[in-house]
Amino acid sequence: MGVIRNPCEWLVSKWAYLAGQSTRLGHPSAEPDMPSVHTESPLKDSPEDIQKFRQFVRDVHGDSPLGWQSYWLAAGYLQDNRTDYILTDARALHLGRLAKMEPADYAPEDMAIVKEELELFDPDVVNCWVRTEDVEGDMKACLTRFEQDTGKAVNWTLFDERIASSNHNPSDHAACNVYYDKETEDYLRHLEGFIFDRFQYQSCCGQAADGKN
């Protein structure tokens, strides 16, 4: 089972979380050279904060040919789900380190590693994907498929209890589409083209075209 999110929404959430947590966590984005994470309005939806988000999209990517979420995808799944060969321990560890960095800080050889791996990655090697746009529905669908494929029973009572008591990382922000003008959307679509294409996300903020798992 894997987890995927619309790239536009992923980056808004990442920015909002860093804006709320960076000074406490000492994240590199809290440094003075990246003022785009220092927001002012409670929901980060003032005209000034919206412009800061758009600048943040540029700040974190620099000259990278791929989007930040693509690097996270590489670190999280490529090392475990390649069908033709298993990544060496060194390369898998390297991908894990890259996920904790911002693409603007990657060396050209780092970018080449991830691009090479993504070009060979088939999402179908993951049995079932949970899209964050419908976590509960997709998890139910994946677990139902698990029951059908394995003949093993899922503890649905426990599932319902865990869903009811679940929480998520705080990242207060306005609706995703508030932050994107055409220029910013086009820029991110270019960087995250792999995810938009392979996971069939047609809109910048929203579900995939088929909603399939």
Side-chain angles (χ1 to χ4, degrees):
M1 185 184 296
V3 180
I4 193 67
R5 188 174 193 176
N6 184 300
C8 292
E9 296 189 354
W10 187 93
L11 199 57
V12 167
S13 180
K14 187 74 173 175
W15 167 75
Y17 182 74
L18 292 176
Q21 302 293 320
S22 59
T23 54
R24 284 197 305 239
L25 296 179
H27 189 277
S29 293
E31 296 176 0
D33 62 352
M34 192 174 285
S36 52
V37 297
H38 297 295
T39 56
E40 300 174 4
S41 55
L43 282 179
K44 306 170 184 64
D45 58 353
S46 68
E48 293 78 13
D49 285 346
I50 291 171
Q51 285 303 124
K52 286 183 178 182
F53 168 77
R54 293 170 182 172
Q55 184 59 48
F56 171 82
V57 176
R58 307 281 177 164
D59 289 343
V60 296
H61 289 106
D63 295 326
S64 172
L66 293 171
W68 201 356
Q69 189 181 3
S70 291
Y71 292 104
W72 277 64
L73 182 73
Y77 296 102
L78 299 189
Q79 56 190 280
D80 297 322
N81 293 293
R82 285 288 301 279
T83 56
D84 53 349
Y85 71 90
I86 301 298
L87 294 180
T88 65
D89 289 343
R91 177 167 281 200
L93 180 62
H94 189 59
L95 287 175
R97 285 198 297 265
L98 291 183
K100 300 176 182 179
M101 299 167 58
E102 294 158 1
D105 296 329
Y106 296 167
E109 55 268 27
D110 297 331
M111 301 174 190
I113 287 173
V114 177
K115 189 172 182 180
E116 175 188 338
E117 297 299 334
L118 284 176
E119 288 174 350
L120 296 170
F121 179 61
D122 180 0
D124 287 341
V125 301
V126 175
N127 291 333
C128 199
W129 287 95
V130 173
R131 301 175 188 273
T132 62
E133 297 82 24
D134 183 17
V135 172
E136 182 176 353
D138 281 357
M139 286 192 68
K140 284 183 177 179
C142 287
L143 291 173
T144 298
R145 182 184 299 181
F146 170 81
E147 287 187 320
Q148 296 169 345
D149 291 346
T150 67
K152 297 180 181 180
V154 170
N155 186 337
W156 291 108
T157 299
L158 179 60
F159 173 83
D160 290 337
E161 290 174 355
R162 293 294 174 85
I163 289 292
S165 61
S166 63
N167 52 27
H168 57 83
N169 289 332
S171 58
D172 294 333
H173 55 77
C176 172
N177 57 12
V178 167
Y179 296 97
Y180 288 90
D181 56 8
K182 186 178 186 306
E183 183 180 0
T184 306
E185 177 179 343
D186 289 348
Y187 177 72
L188 190 63
R189 278 181 175 276
H190 174 72
L191 293 178
E192 299 289 14
F194 173 85
I195 295 177
F196 274 105
D197 178 53
R198 298 292 178 91
F199 292 93
Q200 299 183 36
Y201 283 110
Q202 293 186 353
S203 65
C204 183
C205 299
Q207 294 185 332
D210 61 356
K212 72 176 183 178
N213 307 103

